[in-house]
Amino acid sequence: QKPGNPIAYYQQIGRAGRCIERAHAILMSGLEDDYITRFFIESAFPTIENMTTVLNIIEKYKSLKRWQIVRESNIKQSKVEKCLKFLVLEKVVNLEKGNYSRTIYQWNPSTSEANEITTLRYKELDKMNEFVETTDCYMEFMALELDDPNSRKCNVCNNCNRKQLVKPNISNEMVNNAIKFLKQSYFVIEPRKKWPDGIKHNNRNIFIDGTYAQVGKVLSNYGDVAYGRLVTRDKYINKCFSDELVDASVNLLRGWINDNKIMWVSYVPSIRRPELVKSFAEKVARKLNLECYNSIKKKIDSKEQKTLKNSFKQYENAWNSFEVINTLPGNVLLIDDMVDSRWTTTVCSYKLIQEGSGRVYPFALVNSIGGN
């Protein structure tokens, strides 16, 4: 996997040859590597916009704790923390006994230093892309980049020898076997066991045992070659999940259903696409010989969770959106198409249990979870 800069790459390949006579260093490079590196470059420093938002909130309420600032903003908690550290360092905000307050110092926002570092990071990424594309000696390229006065051609790498270390042509059979292997994999939904800071239910911020969802399952990752791309195509283009996804889900769930004594199926409803998850859940339930029950109501056409940037906003959105209107006793499979913040499954599971269901086992077709 392509690192973000030449120094990191040099350090990583150096580990391969320790204590052994011969080692091969093979760089697996794809567009997703650039996406990952750009994400970390762009999120390394707080933006002027985010810092202004945080500062305005502090000025409005005079004195706030960190979680209260997160609650008032639509900014990720990690980004709020970066903003606060920067503003405290600049003496624009004071931190005392966990409370943030405005100081008398005027704030003159400047991002010149951050911009310089960001520009440098992008130049380093460009160098790594040059390295991937070069037809010259790999080691000489790297040595020159690291200012090695003894840089010279290594006469060992692919470009020096003009031959491939591995065969460039892969058989269709091997590709199909790899896809089949990926399709047999699945991912888990770890249950949330704590409400956002400042939120309590039954006078508790931490869930009582038995009131939160069980560890759930996810069929695929967003955009992956197994089922992720198929889920995206079916949701946004075909407007209906295919029989292939139904069968793959049933194969994944059948043993799990039996092992956990799951008695019935529910689903997370949608106002924008009322039939999408409903029809999928009904098909899955039918093949599993279970009853699919309309137990959850979507009260409002709320924002999509992916547009909300922190746990409090995502929790609030889910809590205000769903109510349980009917339930059955016994353990339940709760189906949704995508899992992102996990607050939808957390809230729906909690409300199902409060209304008398058994344990709730979430299942989603695709995982698009991000940080909070």
Side-chain angles (χ1 to χ4, degrees):
Q1 185 174 354
K2 183 176 63 186
N5 61 74
I7 293 175
Y9 177 75
Y10 190 77
Q11 290 175 333
Q12 290 175 23
I13 64 171
R15 298 188 183 101
R18 289 179 183 172
C19 304
I20 57 175
E21 184 178 343
R22 187 176 180 83
H24 296 287
I26 301 174
L27 178 61
M28 307 289 285
S29 177
L31 289 175
E32 64 274 12
D33 298 326
D34 284 3
Y35 297 152
I36 293 168
T37 301
R38 289 192 184 107
F39 169 80
F40 284 112
I41 291 173
E42 292 168 6
S43 61
F45 297 99
T47 65
I48 294 294
E49 180 183 6
N50 284 347
M51 286 190 287
T52 301
T53 298
V54 168
L55 196 58
N56 287 342
I57 291 170
I58 293 172
E59 288 177 343
K60 179 180 179 180
Y61 292 97
K62 309 303 182 186
S63 179
L64 291 172
K65 295 189 180 297
R66 184 183 62 192
W67 66 263
Q68 292 173 313
I69 299 170
V70 173
R71 180 172 176 168
E72 291 296 320
S73 70
N74 186 25
I75 305 173
K76 283 187 178 182
Q77 180 173 317
S78 59
K79 290 187 176 182
V80 170
E81 290 170 353
K82 287 180 181 179
C83 290
L84 290 170
K85 286 180 181 179
F86 185 87
L87 292 169
V88 169
L89 187 65
E90 291 290 301
K91 297 183 180 180
V92 179
V93 166
N94 182 55
L95 172 61
E96 185 175 356
K97 296 181 179 179
N99 291 297
Y100 293 89
S101 58
R102 186 71 165 89
T103 68
I104 61 172
Y105 292 100
Q106 185 177 358
W107 186 45
N108 298 309
S110 173
T111 58
S112 57
E113 184 178 354
N115 289 339
E116 288 177 9
I117 296 174
T118 299
T119 300
L120 176 62
R121 295 291 178 263
Y122 274 116
K123 286 181 178 178
E124 292 172 341
L125 177 58
D126 289 341
K127 279 295 178 183
M128 281 306 303
N129 287 327
E130 286 181 34
F131 176 74
V132 170
E133 299 296 332
T134 187
T135 57
D136 296 326
C137 173
Y138 285 125
M139 186 53 71
E140 185 179 37
F141 181 102
M142 193 58 59
L144 287 170
E145 184 60 28
L146 299 177
D147 297 323
D148 183 351
N150 299 314
S151 60
R152 61 184 183 276
K153 294 188 184 301
C154 68
N155 297 316
V156 173
C157 71
N158 283 12
N159 286 347
C160 285
N161 290 330
R162 301 300 172 188
K163 66 179 183 180
Q164 296 289 337
L165 286 175
V166 295
K167 294 179 181 179
N169 298 320
I170 307 298
S171 69
N172 288 335
E173 180 184 5
M174 186 172 290
V175 172
N176 290 333
N177 286 340
I179 293 173
K180 183 179 178 181
F181 173 80
L182 289 172
K183 286 184 173 181
Q184 292 172 342
S185 305
Y186 70 90
F187 307 89
V188 300
I189 307 171
E190 292 292 345
R192 290 186 178 274
K193 300 181 181 180
K194 182 177 179 291
W195 300 110
D197 289 340
I199 297 298
K200 293 182 179 182
H201 291 287
N202 296 322
N203 295 317
R204 294 173 63 97
N205 177 250
I206 298 174
F207 284 75
I208 302 171
D209 287 346
T211 62
Y212 52 82
Q214 303 300 301
V215 175
K217 288 191 175 186
V218 187
L219 182 65
S220 62
N221 268 336
Y222 189 84
D224 72 21
V225 72
Y227 292 110
R229 296 174 189 175
L230 179 57
V231 174
T232 304
R233 185 196 70 190
D234 283 354
K235 178 172 181 174
Y236 296 109
I237 298 176
N238 296 336
K239 313 297 184 186
C240 177
F241 293 122
S242 64
D243 289 341
E244 182 180 356
L245 289 174
V246 173
D247 291 339
S249 300
V250 169
N251 289 337
L252 173 62
L253 294 170
R254 196 181 298 279
W256 194 51
I257 294 289
N258 294 332
D259 292 343
N260 292 288
K261 297 181 174 58
I262 294 173
M263 307 300 294
W264 58 289
V265 175
S266 187
Y267 58 89
V268 177
S270 170
I271 293 176
R272 295 186 190 93
R273 304 178 182 90
E275 292 299 316
L276 184 69
V277 177
K278 178 178 182 288
S279 62
F280 173 76
E282 289 173 345
K283 292 175 184 177
V284 169
R286 196 176 303 121
K287 291 205 169 191
L288 291 170
N289 296 317
L290 296 175
E291 181 178 357
C292 185
Y293 207 56
N294 179 23
S295 59
I296 301 171
K297 178 183 177 182
K298 185 79 178 286
K299 296 188 293 184
I300 56 174
D301 188 12
S302 57
K303 295 179 180 178
E304 291 184 301
Q305 290 288 68
K306 64 184 179 182
T307 67
L308 304 171
K309 305 303 182 183
N310 63 54
S311 271
F312 179 83
K313 293 295 184 184
Q314 292 159 349
Y315 151 80
E316 184 180 50
N317 191 50
W319 186 266
N320 293 333
S321 297
F322 299 101
E323 66 175 342
V324 172
I325 52 176
N326 295 298
T327 191
L328 294 176
N331 296 344
V332 54
L333 176 69
L334 177 62
I335 294 179
D336 202 358
D337 55 350
M338 293 188 177
V339 58
D340 36 56
S341 70
R342 292 176 289 151
W343 279 115
T344 296
T345 54
T346 298
V347 166
C348 289
S349 298
Y350 178 82
K351 291 188 174 185
L352 280 168
I353 293 167
Q354 292 299 302
E355 292 298 320
S357 80
R359 293 179 177 178
V360 181
Y361 292 82
F363 169 73
L365 282 169
V366 70
N367 167 28
S368 58
I369 293 175
N372 288 328

